[in-house]
């Protein structure tokens, strides 16, 4: 089975970073959580058995377990697993462990109704690893099960890092002739053109459902979102939820969510 060759870089990054607070730190980040959870709940069925791969500190997984679902969460970073264990004490329907998205051999084929891959695709820097992570996610899903994959579009690198953080000059040597940024492990995050991500599912036993801009323009406009009244923020959320599957909302989203069904 596969092993992420750059796992030490990823573990070191997340051991130092407060991932637990990210999704609730401000409105700009919270839109990603609200949208992702909205789609998770849209496809959940009563009694569903859930696996989250790359669960970080369990922001989604523990919330789903509190709703009564049977949830298993795995993450590459031991610190994250320890946080999940601490947060889930006394919850008999939740379990977590350290595991690599490239090797889910501890789980049998067709074991879960819903499989969430909401982080690993950000940190895979070789085509064979990307393909392996997708195949492993699909393998452990039941027939008719739903798989969700979070990924970063290339435009988000220029928008979020190049413009919002005023570091565009640092991207010059990483950009190819098509405007795609090279996968460099030391840069921590990778990115995809949307059409290239969809190609990962060619010839796989899945049915495409949708592609979602989970935060849309929220990250780039987080300062403006912070200044909105609560009524204004709720109006923005309503618009975002209505439009987040539109192609014209997706390229500049900081995160995207690919949803498919296993045939």
């Amino acid at each position: 089975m596969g092993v992420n060759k750059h796992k030490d870089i990823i573990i070191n990054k997340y051991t130092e970073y407060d991932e637990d607070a990210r999704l609730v730190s401000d409105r700009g980040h919270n839109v990603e959580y609200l949208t992702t959870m909205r789609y998770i709940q849209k496809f959940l069925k009563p009694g569903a058995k859930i696996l989250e791969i790359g669960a970080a500190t369990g922001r989604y997984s523990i919330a789903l377990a509190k709703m009564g679902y049977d949830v298993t969460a795995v993450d590459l970073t031991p610190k994250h697993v320890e946080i999940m264990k601490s947060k889930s004490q006394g919850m008999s329907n939740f379990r977590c462990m350290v595991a690599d998205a490239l090797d889910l051999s501890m789980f049998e084929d067709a074991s879960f109704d819903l499989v969430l891959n909401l982080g690993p695709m950000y940190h895979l820097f070789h085509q064979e690893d990307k393909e392996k992570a997708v195949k492993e996610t699909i393998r452990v899903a039941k027939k008719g099960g739903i798989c969700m994959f979070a990924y970063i579009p290339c435009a988000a690198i220029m928008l979020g890092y190049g413009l919002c953080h005023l570091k565009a000059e640092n991207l010059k040597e990483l950009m190819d002739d098509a405007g795609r940024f090279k996968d460099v492990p030391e840069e921590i995050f990778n990115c995809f053109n949307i059409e290239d991500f969809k190609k990962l599912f060619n010839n796989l036993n899945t049915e495409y459902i949708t592609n979602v801009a989970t935060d849309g323009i929220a990250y780039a406009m987080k300062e403006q979102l912070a200044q909105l009244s609560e009524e204004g923020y709720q109006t923005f959320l309503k618009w975002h939820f209505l439009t987040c599957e539109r192609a014209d909302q997706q390229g500049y989203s900081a995160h995207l969510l690919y949803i498919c069904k296993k045939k």
Side-chain angles (χ1 to χ4, degrees), residues 122-183:
Y122 302 165
H123 308 294
L124 297 174
F125 303 97
H126 303 287
Q127 184 66 21
E128 61 268 28
D129 288 348
K130 298 171 187 178
E131 293 173 357
K132 182 62 177 177
V134 168
K135 289 177 181 178
E136 276 289 88
T137 298
I138 295 168
R139 178 184 67 79
V140 299
K142 295 179 181 179
K143 182 178 180 180
I146 299 296
C147 298
M148 299 187 181
F149 298 83
Y151 66 106
I152 299 171
C154 288
I157 302 296
M158 178 56 77
L159 182 63
Y161 180 74
L163 298 183
C164 291
H165 293 285
L166 304 179
K167 300 288 186 180
E169 67 277 9
N170 295 349
L171 297 173
K172 180 179 179 180
E173 300 302 322
L174 299 177
M175 186 168 58
D176 67 15
D177 292 340
R180 186 192 183 282
F181 299 102
K182 299 174 184 177
D183 291 340

Side-chain angles (χ1 to χ4, degrees), residues 159-209:
L159 182 63
Y161 180 74
L163 298 183
C164 291
H165 293 285
L166 304 179
K167 300 288 186 180
E169 67 277 9
N170 295 349
L171 297 173
K172 180 179 179 180
E173 300 302 322
L174 299 177
M175 186 168 58
D176 67 15
D177 292 340
R180 186 192 183 282
F181 299 102
K182 299 174 184 177
D183 291 340
V184 180
E186 289 72 21
E187 297 295 333
I188 305 298
F189 295 98
N190 68 359
C191 64
F192 295 84
N193 284 332
I194 294 173
E195 63 271 20
D196 291 333
F197 193 84
K198 291 181 177 180
K199 288 177 183 177
L200 291 172
F201 297 84
N202 287 352
N203 303 315
L204 296 183
N205 193 31
T206 62
E207 175 186 337
Y208 171 74
I209 296 176

